[in-house]
Amino acid sequence: MTLLPQLSTDYGQVVQDAFTGYGQYLLKEVLHPHRGNYFYWLVAISLGFWALELLRPWRKDQGAFRQDFWLDVFYMFFNYFLFSLVLYNALSNVFVQLFKDGLALVGMHNLVAVEIGDWPLWARLLTLFVVRDFIQWNVHRLLHRVSWLWSFHQVHHSVKEMGFAAHLRYHPVETVVYRLLEYLPLALIGFGLTDFFLVHLFTLTVGHFNHANLYAPLGPFKYLFNNPQTHLWHHAQELPAARRHGVNFALTLTVWDYLFGTAYVPRAQADLPLGFAGVEHYPHTFAAQQLEPFAHLVRPSDPATSLPEPQAVTAPPRLPYTHE
């Protein structure tokens, strides 16, 4: 009977500390640049890829400020900071504390099954990167196969002109889904904050690269790492009927797609129509795109937001900027 009041007091303080702590962290990130600063790493990496797009664009008729450029820039900072760092991380502190308290009730105080703290840095980073990427590949497949998850993932697929900033156009619910399904497997392995920072910067860079308006097919390394020519097919509006749930689910490592038969790159085509059936009617503003998935939950029969239906697709003619 004394447990509940104690938990209530503890969690009230956890919530308060979480929000104030991450709010102060965000302010410090902006006002005090340093080499471990996520904010300025995001700015630097983004400007670098934008410069490459301007200097060597794959789709040469796509403007420097492509369609929805500023919307996607806003998404980058909203998802990477305003939501992920302040709101989500604060709430995740509460979840983690609840999880730990639940373990304590059954006599468990440490979930770590594989202690890698004494491993060399390169081994820790490689393990974290590979394990996390495989989990995310599987979660990404779920987003395309489960109807209510697809309605949230459509925000990302509403991009009609691809560029580096499209990488972080996604609904915040996706963050919750990814992190919830990542938590337990990664909690079984002891990782430090430095490990997460370095791996996160690497995957951020590859994600920007995948979505960039660049021609960089990588040669034989395309079977290992994602690239713009591979990922563009993931965003293709039309696919063969046998691939109606999507292709090329890789976030960073394409090896999972080749191993499990979800790879599909028939040719490197710059001018692929992007999106999904009915994308032209999808909301165009940030606020409307945040509300649209919830609206779909009360009208699930809407064909514009349903899972893709099989479509017969014929081979398109060669187009400008198409590379076989």
Side-chain angles (χ1 to χ4, degrees):
M1 297 297 292
T2 59
L3 179 62
L4 291 178
Q6 182 63 42
L7 287 178
S8 176
T9 301
D10 288 345
Y11 285 108
Q13 192 62 50
V14 168
V15 171
Q16 180 180 335
D17 291 346
F19 279 98
T20 57
Y22 277 102
Q24 292 170 359
Y25 170 80
L26 178 59
L27 184 62
K28 182 179 179 181
E29 285 277 289
V30 175
L31 298 179
H32 302 284
H34 56 89
R35 65 179 182 179
N37 187 308
Y38 273 119
F39 181 85
Y40 288 103
W41 273 112
L42 175 61
V43 171
I45 292 169
S46 299
L47 288 176
F49 277 105
W50 192 28
L52 289 173
E53 287 184 339
L54 296 177
L55 293 171
R56 299 292 299 272
W58 185 25
R59 293 170 290 279
K60 295 178 172 36
D61 56 347
Q62 186 169 297
F65 298 96
R66 60 174 175 78
Q67 184 177 358
D68 290 340
F69 176 87
W70 292 114
L71 174 64
D72 288 343
V73 169
F74 178 78
Y75 263 108
M76 283 202 307
F77 289 95
F78 176 82
N79 279 323
Y80 214 71
F81 288 98
L82 297 181
F83 179 78
S84 292
L85 281 181
V86 179
L87 179 60
Y88 176 77
N89 281 345
L91 293 177
S92 67
N93 282 359
V94 178
F95 169 78
V96 169
Q97 190 60 48
L98 276 168
F99 190 76
K100 289 180 178 178
D101 287 345
L103 291 178
L105 290 175
V106 295
M108 295 180 62
H109 299 281
N110 190 346
L111 195 63
V112 176
V114 181
E115 182 55 67
I116 67 170
D118 295 331
W119 291 12
L121 178 61
W122 68 266
R124 295 201 309 271
L125 294 177
L126 182 61
T127 302
L128 171 59
F129 167 61
V130 173
V131 171
R132 186 169 181 249
D133 193 70
F134 184 57
I135 295 169
Q136 291 181 334
W137 179 82
N138 280 285
V139 175
H140 195 182
R141 291 183 66 201
L142 282 178
L143 294 176
H144 281 258
R145 289 181 171 271
V146 178
S147 183
W148 72 270
L149 291 177
W150 168 244
S151 67
F152 288 100
H153 192 48
Q154 277 187 308
V155 171
H156 183 64
H157 280 265
S158 64
V159 175
K160 302 183 190 69
E161 288 190 344
M162 190 66 72
F164 73 93
H167 172 209
L168 296 179
R169 183 203 286 204
Y170 54 79
H171 199 283
V173 168
E174 280 200 32
T175 299
V176 177
V177 173
Y178 271 105
R179 300 302 173 259
L180 281 175
L181 296 179
E182 283 177 2
Y183 178 73
L184 186 58
L186 294 180
L188 294 171
I189 309 174
F191 291 112
L193 290 177
T194 301
D195 301 339
F196 274 98
F197 179 79
L198 293 174
V199 169
H200 204 50
L201 282 184
F202 178 70
T203 56
L204 169 69
T205 302
V206 175
H208 271 34
F209 171 64
N210 298 339
H211 293 82
N213 181 19
L214 300 172
Y215 183 69
L218 298 186
F221 289 103
K222 69 181 180 181
Y223 298 108
L224 182 61
F225 290 108
N226 210 349
N227 62 80
Q229 284 61 58
T230 296
H231 195 67
L232 198 67
W233 280 98
H234 177 72
H235 283 262
Q237 186 170 147
E238 294 185 344
L239 290 169
R243 309 281 189 146
R244 73 185 189 94
H245 287 300
V247 298
N248 305 341
F249 299 105
L251 277 74
T252 303
L253 295 176
T254 54
V255 66
W256 313 124
D257 286 309
Y258 285 102
L259 283 175
F260 295 101
T262 53
Y264 182 75
V265 191
R267 60 194 163 274
Q269 183 178 327
D271 298 50
L272 281 173
L274 306 181
F276 45 83
V279 68
E280 64 275 10
H281 304 299
Y282 201 75
H284 300 291
T285 66
F286 175 80
Q289 288 178 357
Q290 300 311 293
L291 295 174
E292 179 62 21
F294 297 104
H296 175 236
L297 294 179
V298 298
R299 50 176 172 80
S301 60
D302 185 347
T305 52
S306 299
L307 285 170
E309 292 298 325
Q311 300 182 54
V313 179
T314 57
R318 288 179 62 90
L319 297 171
Y321 319 127
T322 297
H323 301 264
E324 295 293 351

